[in-house]
Amino acid sequence: MLLDLDGITVAFGGLIAVGDVTFAMAEGDVLGLVGPNGAGKTTLFNAVSGLVRPTRGQARFLGRDLVAMPIHARARAGIGRTFQVPQPMHELTVRENLMVASRFATGRIDRERIAEILDLLKLGHKADADAATSLALTEQKALEVGKALATNPKLLMLDEVLAGLETAGKRAFMHTLAEVRQRYGLGLLIIEHDIETITRLCPRVVVLNFGRLIAEGSPDHVFNDPEVIRSYTGGEAA
Amino acid sequence: MNNSVKIAVFLALSYVAVPLALGSNTYVIGLIVAALTIAGIAVAWALLGNLGGMVSFGHAAFFGVGAYVSALLTLRGGWPVFPAMLMAGVGAAIASVATMPALRLRGPYFALAILAYAEIFRILATELKPVTGGAAGLLSIPRLPNVLGLDFGSKLGGYFVILTIVVAAMAAYHLIRRSAYGLALKAMHDSEDATRVVGVNSIVLKAWMLMVSAFITGMVGAFNAHYINFLEPDYAFAGQWTMLAIVSAIFGGYRTVSGPLAGALVVYLVDQLAFKPILPQGHQIVLGVLLGAMILFNPGGMMSMLTAKFLRKEASHAA
Ligand SMILES: Nc1ncnc2c1ncn2[C@@H]1O[C@H](COP(=O)(O)OP(=O)(O)O)[C@@H](O)[C@H]1O
Ligand SMILES: [Mg+2]
């Protein structure tokens, strides 16, 4: 298994942000992770990438126990992620962001791959621009993906990289993601609100609500599940 | 002027012009050597502060350890001076490992913890009488050697040695800053999570910077011991080594490679030549005032101020 989560629970004080979540991905799988705001999706990413420590549960990545593994070691093991709110590395250019990722996750600066990623994400013309101050939203999101790709991941976790883009931008980005996946053959775990997008990208989806996994299966199956529909309409109203 | 021209001018001035012009004036050379000693610690302090993001109040610890290691290796172990000075750097770097638990502390807590370490090292040097000679100190520490007809034991010879240490430290600062390590360290200040999730082990990087900084400071301490041939705990671990270096680095601009050196020369020479004669007691208060003014009006320090002026002038020429 690429990623194997067993009963992952993250509590913040009394709040169960993620409650007893179990699912697995095989290498190269594309899995959608959906659910209303506050459902615990980002927290689950944080637990996998090491930024928060699960209160309970087991997590394995390519057979290795994740729970005791430090953040930087997870990146080196092949876990790449983006942030919902883009977090470029400050004071660095776009290219330098990718250089740091490449150097520290893989042990050497792979300039060829960096150039290829910049090209793929259409960031070539901004390669030497300051990452924190001179990028439009689409470009910031592309840089999030670029940093993660530069670590040479086997699993890429995308946290709402398409949110906030207009339809044309969304379509172009989806196209790019498909290309990325094909080129690098990696597994994708995608948080996304837009049902159409998810349906196009992901053959399989898991749904979280109040931290619990409430449904799992094909998009057709999941988005017709009454509990999922209720959670979404309830979530919107709240 | 581009960078390589600037570096060539600086090297020509410091290795040729200064010795030719002032070489026979042992008083002035002595003052410059003392200023360069401070400059060496200031560069090391700036490297740790700018790259590692850590403020240290305890660099006297590494200075003192370096001084004692080299003095003891030469006095008791019969080592030649230059290899002993390198080992002094290694010794100070090893001593810095003892302070590493403090790396998990942030900001002022780290600064204070490392100050406590300096005090602990001073007490150790005082109490370990059989090894260090205790409070009475070590006398007749071997002078810098005569190599191929060059007498490094003279004032001017000492000048070349400390100058070379400072230049090497500046080169190290520059090279680390533009390496992938430097980029990652820079990124860590404002984007720690983003930096860690791409594989950067921030604690290890900071530890490296601490070791490099301690190594340089230890070499400088060793130089000083062989230059003045005498050592006692209160002198080797004196807070003034840290204090003068911090004032110099901040005054000159610790985010630039040349700032700590420029700061040390100005601060030390102005202090000794201008303020000390007027105010034999408490002349260093004036330094504090100057530093305060610099931080208020130009927090980037003297070198960033000069560069900004220069850039403005070039821009207006271009317009
Ligand atoms: N560091 C934190 N401390 C306290 N509560 C948190 C923290 N991070 C997230 N939460 C809470 O956990 C719940 C899940 O948040 P999140 O994982 O961001 O949801 P989603 O990404 O699905 O919108 C929310 O109620 C949120 O307020
Ligand atoms: Mg979220």
Side-chain angles (χ1 to χ4, degrees), chain B residues 205-257:
Chain B
L205 276 198
K206 287 181 184 182
W208 270 112
M209 292 310 108
L210 183 61
M211 288 176 71
V212 171
S213 184
F215 178 88
I216 296 168
T217 310
M219 289 269 290
V220 174
F223 163 79
N224 191 251
H226 296 290
Y227 181 74
I228 63 166
N229 317 115
F230 165 75
L231 216 50
E232 62 176 24
D234 288 350
Y235 170 81
F237 294 96
Q240 63 151 358
W241 299 117
T242 311
M243 197 272 292
L244 282 171
I246 295 180
V247 173
S248 302
I250 294 179
F251 191 85
Y254 73 102
R255 289 188 183 279
T256 64
V257 169

Side-chain angles (χ1 to χ4, degrees), chain A residues 72 75-76 87-88 90 103-105, chain B residues 180-181 184 191 194 197-201:
Chain A
H72 59 90
R76 292 172 193 178
Q87 290 195 25
H90 279 240
R103 167 64 182 79
F104 286 92
Chain B
Y181 282 72
S191 340
V197 301
V198 295
V200 175
N201 184 346

Side-chain angles (χ1 to χ4, degrees), chain A residues 1 3 6 44 53-55 58 66 86 95 109 112 117 130 135 140 150 164 167 184 215 225 231 234:
Chain A
M1 279 294 138
L3 180 67
D6 184 6
L44 189 66
R53 194 171 266 275
T55 321
Q58 291 294 316
L66 277 186
R95 190 196 311 279
I109 299 176
E112 232 168 85
I117 294 168
D130 183 70
L135 300 185
Q140 292 175 27
T167 319
Y184 300 117
D225 182 317
S231 80

Side-chain angles (χ1 to χ4, degrees), chain B residues 147-166:
Chain B
V147 180
L148 303 170
L150 292 169
D151 181 12
F152 290 108
S154 68
K155 279 250 150 57
L156 189 59
Y159 167 80
F160 281 116
V161 173
I162 186 65
L163 176 66
T164 303
I165 293 175
V166 172

Side-chain angles (χ1 to χ4, degrees), chain A residues 89-106:
Chain A
M89 288 185 261
H90 279 240
E91 293 192 49
L92 267 51
T93 67
V94 169
R95 190 196 311 279
E96 287 171 342
N97 265 264
L98 271 59
M99 281 165 59
V100 168
S102 176
R103 167 64 182 79
F104 286 92
T106 74

Side-chain angles (χ1 to χ4, degrees), chain B residues 7-316:
Chain B
I7 292 168
V9 169
F10 165 71
L11 292 177
L13 276 177
S14 53
Y15 278 93
V16 182
V18 168
L20 282 179
L22 304 168
S24 54
N25 188 336
T26 51
Y27 171 68
V28 173
I29 288 290
L31 280 179
I32 296 177
V33 167
L36 287 174
T37 304
I38 300 299
I41 311 169
V43 173
W45 186 89
L47 184 153
L48 184 68
N50 186 25
L51 298 181
M54 288 171 285
V55 175
S56 157
F57 289 163
H59 262 50
F62 309 133
F63 183 90
V65 168
Y68 269 97
V69 167
S70 199
L72 291 171
L73 281 177
T74 50
L75 271 176
R76 309 252 153 97
W79 280 54
V81 172
F82 285 136
M85 284 171 64
L86 273 178
M87 277 313 289
V90 173
I94 291 171
S96 77
V97 173
T99 71
M100 279 181 189
L103 282 180
R104 295 193 176 270
L105 303 172
R106 281 167 190 264
Y109 302 104
F110 173 80
L112 292 175
I114 202 158
L115 176 61
Y117 278 105
E119 193 54 20
I120 291 169
F121 284 123
R122 189 186 62 78
I123 293 168
L124 279 177
T126 313
E127 297 303 322
L128 285 175
K129 272 205 196 82
V131 186
T132 63
L138 296 170
L139 299 171
S140 320
I141 296 167
R143 62 205 291 275
L144 292 158
N146 206 316
V147 180
L148 303 170
L150 292 169
D151 181 12
F152 290 108
S154 68
K155 279 250 150 57
L156 189 59
Y159 167 80
F160 281 116
V161 173
I162 186 65
L163 176 66
T164 303
I165 293 175
V166 172
V167 167
M170 286 165 68
Y173 185 4
H174 172 72
L175 290 175
I176 294 173
R177 195 169 64 162
R178 36 164 257 195
S179 72
Y181 282 72
L183 292 177
L185 286 158
K186 194 153 71 159
M188 249 161 43
H189 298 319
D190 290 310
S191 340
E192 182 142 11
D193 283 349
T195 313
R196 298 172 81 185
V197 301
V198 295
V200 175
N201 184 346
S202 47
I203 296 281
V204 163
L205 276 198
K206 287 181 184 182
W208 270 112
M209 292 310 108
L210 183 61
M211 288 176 71
V212 171
S213 184
F215 178 88
I216 296 168
T217 310
M219 289 269 290
V220 174
F223 163 79
N224 191 251
H226 296 290
Y227 181 74
I228 63 166
N229 317 115
F230 165 75
L231 216 50
E232 62 176 24
D234 288 350
Y235 170 81
F237 294 96
Q240 63 151 358
W241 299 117
T242 311
M243 197 272 292
L244 282 171
I246 295 180
V247 173
S248 302
I250 294 179
F251 191 85
Y254 73 102
R255 289 188 183 279
T256 64
V257 169
S258 56
L261 170 63
L265 287 171
V266 169
V267 164
Y268 189 81
L269 295 179
V270 168
D271 180 50
Q272 293 292 314
L273 297 173
F275 303 148
K276 201 173 171 187
I278 309 170
L279 273 175
Q281 306 285 321
H283 55 100
Q284 291 182 335
I285 290 173
V286 184
L287 292 182
V289 174
L290 278 181
L291 179 65
M294 181 63 91
I295 292 172
L296 271 181
F297 297 114
N298 193 63
M302 200 168 72
M303 287 318 279
S304 84
M305 194 163 73
L306 292 178
T307 334
K309 278 244 168 62
F310 187 69
L311 287 180
R312 264 203 301 279
K313 229 182 347 196
E314 290 214 326
S316 65

Side-chain angles (χ1 to χ4, degrees), chain A residues 12 15 17 35-44 52 84 159-160 191:
Chain A
F12 296 112
L15 175 81
N37 276 326
K41 305 181 296 294
T42 296
T43 303
L44 189 66
V52 305
Q84 184 173 349
D159 195 346
E160 302 198 18
I191 298 179

